[in-house]
Every structure is written in C-alpha cells, then in structure tokens.
Amino acid sequence: MPGLLLAGWLAAVPASIAGPSIDAAVFDDPAASGPVITENVHARLLAERSSVAPGGALDLALVLDIRPHWHTYWRNPGDSGEPPRIRWHLPDGVTAGPIRWPLPEPIPVGPLVNYGYSGRAVHLVALSVPAGWPAGEPVRVAAEATWLVCDEACIPERGHFELTLATAIDPSAGPSHVHTVRLFESARERLPRAGVVAATLDRGEDALTLRVPAAALPGRIDEVYFFPYEWGLVSHAAGQGWTLSDVDGADVLSLDLVPGEVAASAPATGLLKIRGGGADIGLRIDAGTKPGARPGDDAAKALPALPQTSGAGVVRGLALALGFALLGGLLLNLMPCVFPVLAIKALGLAGQGGARFRARALHGLAYASGVLVFFLGLGLLLLVLRAAGTAVGWGFQLQSPLFVTLMAYLFLVLGMSLAGAFTLGTSLMGIGGGTDQQTGHKGAFATGALAALVAAPCTAPFMGAALGYAMTVPWPGALAVVLALGLGMALPFLLLASWPRLARALPRPGPWMETLKQALAFPMFATAAWLLWVLAVQSGPSGLARALTGALVLAFALWVQERTRTARAPWPRVGAGAAVLGLAAALWLGVGAMQATGDRTDAGTVSRPAAARSALAAEPYSAAKLAAARADGRPVFVNMTAAWCITCLVNERVALRRAAVARAFAEQDVLYLKGDWTNRDAAITDYLAGFGRNGVPIYVFYPPGGEPRVLPQVLTETVVLDRIGAG
C-alpha cells in the first residue's frame, strides 16, 4: 500500500532531540500499569476499576500522551502511517475485545492528509472475565502495544504493559482515582454513537456522492467530514463539500468526495464526524452498495424526512417531528395494545353522562395530565439511560421480565377489582361512579397514566420517525416530541369530556354501570394473560411458573383482606397483614421470574414460540447474514419484532402469515431475517438506529442490487406483496 511505503521512508528520517512537552502524569493508581516513556510518547495501560466480578467486564484504556506537533493514527491512517496495535497475554477464559477508536482528526502532512490523533489518544478495549473464575483470584493482564508516532519524521515505538485486577463477587472498589473517572468519561464521549446509519454511495468515474438520511443526523450541523474505514475508497487529501437538500422528496445530507485508488471495490463504510455547536459526534456509516454497483434509488426515500440543520432548519425539523408525534399519538388510540385500557376509559366516559361542563372538562384534563406526566417521566428515563451509554429504545421497559411480571400483577388486580372480588379503593376506580369529584379526578389521572403505561411499548404510524428524531436532538427538543406524542394520545378523550355536543350523547349513569364494570374485568384478565405469555418467551417455563405462583398468592391475599375488611377486630388487621405478606411474596416470586433462565432465548435469536407463529421460514437476524445475502444479490426481508409488541403480532397474523406472501417469498428466493427484541439486544438496537428508529416494529426489504425500502408500520398482505414485487 502506498501509505505503508511512505511511512517506512519517513521512519528513516532522524527524530528531533527535543524532549516531549506533554501531559504525561502517571496516576498513583493500582489499576494502572507502569508507564512506558519514549522521546515522543508517554504510554500506559489503565483499568476503569481495580477489581472485576467473575462473569463481569470492564474497560481498559491504552493511553498515549503525544509530544506537541506529533501524532499517532486512526484505524485507517489515511495517506500514510500505521494504527496502534495491541497483542494481549491473558489467562485462559479471559478475553479482550477490539480497539474502540475515538473520533479522529484529518492531519495535513505536506500534500497528504492522514487520519489520527494529537495531544492524547485513549483507545478503549473491553475485558471480560468468565463466570467460572474463582472469586478472590486476581486477573493478571499483560499486553504488547506498538504504535507509529510522526511529525516530519515517523518513529515506530512499542511498549510492554502489565496490571493486576482483583476479583470479587461485588467489585465495590469502583474507580480508584478521580482522574481515572474523568479519563474514561471523556474517552466514551469521543466514541462514535451506537448504531449504524443506512446511507447510499453513488460511485461515478470521477466523483463519489455519499447520501445520508437527514433523519439520522443531529439537530445542528456546522462541519462534516467523512473518514472511510478502508484505504483507497476516497482521496484523503481532496476536499469534501456537503449540502443539505431535498432528493426525490426526502431531506438528505450529500457529501461530494473524490474517488481513491480502489474506489470501485473498496467497502462503502466509514465514520461521519459532525460538529455542531462546538461539540463533535460520530456516526457509523454503511452505504450498503455492492462494490461497483450504482443504486437504483436512494435509501432516504424509505424514511420519513425530518430535516435537521442549523438555524431555521432546526425549527422546521422540530415542527415536523412534533406534527408526526401528535399524529402518531392520535393513532396510538387505535393500536391493539391500547384496547384493554379503552375499557376503563369507556367506563369513565359513561360515568360523566349528565355532568356539568366544568366537571367534565376537569375530568378530561386530569386524564390528559396522567398521560403527559407518564410520557414525560418515561422520556426523561430513556434520555438518562442513553446518556449513560445504555443501548435502549422505545418500549425498553417491557424487555425486563420483572417489569412484565409486575404489569401482569397490576392487570390481575384491576380485573379483580372491576369484577367485585375486592375493593381497590377510590383513587383509581373512582372514575366509574360516585359523587366525589376530587376522587373522580384522581381516578382519571391514574387512568391516563395507566393508558400511557400500556401504550408506551407500541409504535403507531409516524411515531418511529418522530422518536428517532427525538433521540438525536438536545433534551428540550426530545422531551417536546415525547410530550406531543402524549398529547396526541390524550386528545380524543379530552375532546369527548369537554365538547358539549358530544357530552350530550353520553348515556346517563345508572344501575347498568355495575354490570358494565364487571364485564370490563375480562379485558384486564386478557391483558394479564398476554403479559404472562411475553414472560414465558423471555424467561421460559421456570420464570412463568414463578410468576403464576406469585399471581395466585397475591389474589388469595387480596381476597382474604376483602373478606375480613368489615369483620370484628382483630380480623381486619389480620386481613391487612395477609395482603402485605401476599404482595411481598408476589414481588419475591416476580424477582425470581426475572432471574430464571429455563429455556430463555438467547439475544439475537428467534424464540421457538415466535418462529412457530410464522408461516414463513425465518432465520435469526445477524448483520453478517444480511451482508452475505446482499453480496450474493439475493433479496432480503428484515422483520424486527418483539413478543410484547402487539402491533408486531397483529402484522404477522394479517400479513406475513398469509399463504400468498409465503409463495411470493419462495418464488423470488427472499431471505427472511427476523430479529427478536423481546430481550435487550444491542445488534437490533444498532439496526434500528441505522434507520433513525427507536422501537419496533420495522420492516425493511432489500431488493437485489438496490437500496433498502422501509415498509409501513401497519402491514397488510397487499402492502407486502406490492413492496417485494417492486424489486
């Protein structure tokens, strides 16, 4: 490679005899190796903590403090140079992952441009300890690292590093030094974002055009630079012009690149570094074209356009996202996942027949407040988790078996209360009757929060693009989008409660309401049964058995409490104690359901129940399978689903399980890849992020030699056949 020849020639040039003037503080830290000090670099190996748990993991960092005006290199060094490499010497079973490269800088060197780092470069590596490692036995880590450091001359250097980590069941020692905490926090901020953005690359003879959907970009863009992963795709020293424009109805960021020496065959992958408002972010890019192929249409056509530029563009993008969120919230009321709570809402509306306008309006506002408060809390939690580096998406709460179990308990309790098995109290169930307006408003608020709780994992049309946008903008804009979603969901009930003409159509309260209330218990029981099925997919028979036992204990305890509530002393206290003990036992069993392994499906695989439901022969999704099929020119249909996503299950029943769809897939030799997001799976989270999405479902068809086409979130047999037939 020309870059390597140039690096070898430069290595023969004498180095400056001046010593380094760098920030080369060596921490007095048991989690740090001894330093390796050369004329140009101070290097050390540092662990995030001084101890690790068996079966756990932590980050190591190869830290290079570099002499002023000198530099080291990124994974693709550009026109010349070599990246750092690490050779590990680890105990049996202990593994080290690949280097996670921080965002590089273009470094001009005469007529050339290299990619690398100056000042300080921190290379993170994940270290994993096997579960069978004896607690108390230290883990000894050794590494041989090599790097090339250059200015006018290039000097190959190396270092040997050793450190010892303690092991404990609870590695509570934490970071050993305040500087260590800051170093690792800063290093993670310099990493690219999670996820891979689906883009397109138009390969011409004299020019390359990289197009990135605007929906995947941050809110403000001041500078853009593309760093290819492989040498030879672009001319590193050439300028890179960029524009934000409308391409066939979709807002797209277009970069004009000059082809490199092997542009026709080099992979169209790389890192897009974006500077906005003084901050840098990095997006992993996969243009998804076969070498030498010209895409027939742009991937951005498949995405709802959410333009995100600086200045007025931010307002325009935010306004569109708010509109999508409001519309998605309205449609959320029609999604199957919200139907059970419509029963409680219907009872509340029936109880408002004949009420005064002020009472109805306050009732509607209380319901809307419950919805908005829940969505606000969920949005804040999601943003905090993502800021902490956790790969989570919309509906993440139902990826927890404990949360699913508690939800099943909640709907069981609601159903028993509606059926009259015990008295839950007026705070929640007061929506159905009674004259106490304050109690009714509390019940309306609780009902709104409950409706939002059940609806949160669902993804209605227009929601996916809006939520994907929300995860790329600052917190105020993100929370505004989430609140617009909640407002859209609450709006129909708010109008029904406050519009006089509609209110006059409501039936008057009467004895019939008790019969209706008891009948509405059965949708609650149905929801509890569905949640227990989700738990069976997540935790297997063992987890399901624990949760069912907990439900039985809880139901019996509440029945005892109800039977003793009006009895003579001391029976009411006995009943209350039984209720408390029953609740504690149910929670304990719920935690056990979360910890059960049973036949729980592994991350990234299609569960046996999920696979059995589909008439199509699905293979578990993996990026490698998708890439291999694309390279072979085979059409691919990707279905990202989850057992707790009722919209996903309905789509499979009404569209994907149809015989005509199965025949069409077989005739066209379509590879059907199915990703199961029932449990948390970083690979699926990355895939969703690549399309600017934050939750399931998402359906993507890859025609042979063409670009991915995203299908609607609500499928029909005709939609699927038309879309794959268009390929």
Side-chain angles (χ1 to χ4, degrees), residues 6 87 104 141 278 309 355 363 378 564 574 587 614 695:
L6 180 60
R87 182 180 179 185
V141 177
T309 59
H363 189 84
L378 183 62
T564 58
V574 173
L587 291 175
S614 177

Side-chain angles (χ1 to χ4, degrees), residues 308-684:
Q308 298 156 46
T309 59
S310 59
V314 173
V315 177
R316 188 163 63 95
L318 179 60
L320 186 56
L322 291 173
F324 277 10
L326 186 67
L327 186 56
L330 285 168
L331 295 175
L332 201 57
N333 289 281
L334 304 178
M335 306 304 290
C337 47
V338 190
F339 285 168
V341 183
L342 292 177
I344 297 180
K345 293 165 69 176
L347 188 61
L349 281 173
Q352 291 298 302
R356 294 177 179 271
F357 170 77
R358 182 176 181 274
R360 293 195 310 271
L362 290 176
H363 189 84
L365 288 173
Y367 174 85
S369 298
V371 174
L372 292 174
V373 167
F374 179 85
F375 273 102
L376 177 62
L378 183 62
L380 285 171
L381 178 60
L382 181 59
L383 290 170
V384 168
L385 290 175
R386 290 181 70 91
T390 305
V392 295
W394 194 253
F396 71 95
Q397 63 274 24
L398 282 183
Q399 292 175 330
S400 165
L402 176 59
F403 183 85
V404 172
T405 303
L406 296 179
M407 286 279 289
Y409 290 168
L410 172 63
F411 278 94
L412 173 65
V413 170
L414 290 175
M416 291 178 63
S417 180
L418 286 168
F422 76 99
T423 303
L424 181 63
T426 56
S427 294
L428 178 61
M429 304 312 296
I431 60 172
T435 58
D436 187 345
Q437 291 185 5
Q438 183 177 3
T439 297
H441 297 156
K442 289 180 180 178
F445 180 91
T447 305
L450 179 63
L453 177 69
V454 178
C458 299
T459 306
F462 301 100
M463 273 182 60
L467 291 172
Y469 172 90
M471 294 301 106
T472 65
V473 297
W475 285 37
L479 292 178
V481 172
V482 173
L483 287 174
L485 178 64
L487 179 61
M489 180 180 172
L491 195 56
F493 188 80
L494 188 60
L495 292 175
L496 286 172
S498 57
W499 198 343
R501 181 172 299 178
L502 291 174
R504 284 195 292 269
L506 295 174
R508 299 285 179 176
W512 62 271
M513 290 184 60
E514 181 62 27
T515 302
L516 176 62
K517 187 178 76 169
Q518 294 181 15
L520 293 179
F522 294 97
M524 302 298 107
F525 294 143
T527 304
W530 164 66
L531 289 165
L532 290 172
W533 174 80
V534 172
L535 180 67
V537 175
Q538 292 177 322
S539 298
S542 178
L544 178 61
R546 287 176 177 268
L548 286 172
T549 304
L552 177 63
V553 170
L554 180 60
F556 179 76
L558 291 173
W559 177 80
V560 170
Q561 191 270 339
E562 177 66 19
R563 297 295 296 173
T564 58
R565 185 169 56 89
T566 58
R568 294 180 180 178
W571 290 110
R573 291 185 179 180
V574 173
V580 172
L581 290 175
L583 178 60
L587 291 175
W588 178 76
L589 289 165
V591 172
M594 178 182 68
Q595 297 173 342
T597 54
D599 60 354
R600 176 177 176 170
T601 57
D602 294 330
T605 65
V606 179
S607 64
R608 288 190 295 274
R613 289 191 304 273
S614 177
L616 295 173
E619 294 187 22
Y621 166 80
S622 74
K625 288 181 180 179
L626 176 60
R630 296 277 283 157
D632 293 340
R634 185 180 180 185
V636 184
F637 187 91
V638 176
N639 171 16
M640 293 301 181
T641 183
W644 40 260
C645 172
I646 294 186
T647 305
C648 306
L649 304 181
V650 171
N651 283 337
E652 290 195 19
R653 178 174 294 276
V654 303
L656 298 178
R657 293 171 62 183
R658 298 294 184 179
V661 173
R663 284 196 302 270
F665 274 49
E667 291 170 357
Q668 299 187 36
D669 191 29
V670 177
L671 174 62
Y672 181 31
L673 297 180
K674 192 172 183 180
D676 191 346
W677 211 41
T678 303
N679 296 308
R680 191 170 298 172
D681 188 326
I684 296 178

